Amino acid sequence: MSSEWQDRWEERYASVGRLWSGEPNEHLTDLAAGWRPGHSLDLGCGEGDDVLWLASRGWRAMGVDVSPTAVARLRSRSAERGLTGVEGAVVDLAAEPLPAGPFELVTSFFVHGGPSEGSILLEDVLVQAAARVVARGRLLTAVHCVNPPWHRHHSRSFRPEVLAADVLARLPEGAWEVETCAERWRDVTGPDGEAGRRSDGVVCWRRLS
Ligand SMILES: C[S@@+](CC[C@H](N)C(=O)[O-])C[C@H]1O[C@@H](n2cnc3c(N)ncnc32)[C@H](O)[C@@H]1O
């Protein structure tokens, strides 16, 4: 049975030929370029730019999203590029279990959730995901902290240090550390060409044992 959130995201993807840039998130490429490939899972992967980037660097890369159109785009773009080891699945993170893994890396980029019923609570999803990560593996997320004035899509924004501490407090004691916790600013352009600034919070937890 589809939820209001699934319908909303599916409509958004189905109304355009492509919703996102086609480029991987720079928070991923900056951090993960030197990491040894393994099995990865991207939560709320959208059209799969991050999944495809990881696969192109040797990862066995899986992406899940609530939108069937987004997941179909991930699959077709992976086939177009001849990438192997890519898997896409339609999963509602608010209602269904995460893939079992285990994973060397679980990522989630800009899956903020909102206040209405049926939406995900990001902290809950990250804690569930952490249980699928192997020792020495990583859990990486990026979220918006400060939005430009024209931005009204997301109900939640985050402080990276608060998110890092909240999730760490819910993980097995002594088994994880916060490897990266940063606020990164960038220039952005609004729908009418106006200049603005936005900050993202980037948090990476590493499993020690
Ligand atoms: C802002 S987009 C980010 C997409 C991608 N991670 C990126 O950075 O380009 C948020 C994504 O989360 C997905 N999403 C929202 N709620 C979800 C849920 N309950 N289960 C799975 N995916 C969800 C949406 O379909 C959408 O693709």
Side-chain angles (χ1 to χ4, degrees):
M1 196 176 69
S2 73
S3 69
E4 180 199 329
W5 280 88
Q6 179 167 24
D7 293 346
R8 198 182 295 181
W9 276 106
E10 176 57 16
E11 274 168 36
R12 236 183 127 188
Y13 281 105
S15 66
V16 289
R18 177 193 287 273
L19 188 56
W20 307 113
S21 68
E23 298 298 324
N25 278 295
E26 64 183 23
H27 306 309
L28 174 67
T29 58
D30 284 355
L31 287 171
W35 294 348
R36 194 165 64 173
H39 193 194
S40 65
L41 171 66
D42 189 30
L43 305 168
C45 66
E47 291 153 331
D49 300 312
D50 297 315
V51 179
L52 297 173
W53 182 82
L54 286 165
S56 74
R57 301 184 71 90
W59 290 78
R60 191 155 59 91
M62 180 174 196
V64 298
D65 200 281
V66 76
S67 160
T69 297
V71 172
R73 285 180 192 158
L74 161 63
R75 290 191 189 125
S76 64
R77 291 170 60 203
S78 159
E80 275 163 24
R81 295 186 198 185
L83 290 168
T84 55
V86 173
E87 201 181 337
V90 178
V91 175
D92 182 351
L93 297 168
E96 295 173 274
L98 271 54
F103 299 99
E104 276 72 29
L105 173 65
V106 179
T107 54
S108 162
F109 295 104
F110 306 113
V111 185
H112 298 93
S116 60
E117 201 177 327
S119 165
I120 62 140
L121 192 62
L122 180 60
E123 294 87 340
D124 287 353
V125 173
L126 292 172
V127 169
Q128 275 181 57
R132 271 89 172 151
V133 174
V134 299
R136 307 306 300 163
R138 292 178 171 92
L139 175 64
L140 169 65
T141 193
V143 284
H144 295 321
C145 301
V146 179
N147 290 311
W150 61 81
H151 181 103
R152 292 196 176 80
H153 289 309
H154 300 294
S155 318
R156 282 194 82 194
S157 55
F158 297 82
R159 291 298 317 159
E161 62 279 8
V162 174
L163 181 62
D166 285 354
V167 171
L168 189 65
R170 292 174 58 187
L171 299 179
E173 203 178 335
W176 287 80
E177 68 176 5
V178 175
E179 188 177 65
T180 302
C181 179
E183 180 174 13
R184 294 187 177 168
W185 284 90
R186 56 191 161 111
D187 295 326
V188 286
T189 306
D192 301 318
E194 61 274 53
R197 302 264 291 156
R198 144 171 291 149
S199 77
D200 296 332
V202 184
V203 183
C204 183
W205 300 263
R206 185 143 199 210
R207 186 164 194 160
L208 303 171
S209 56

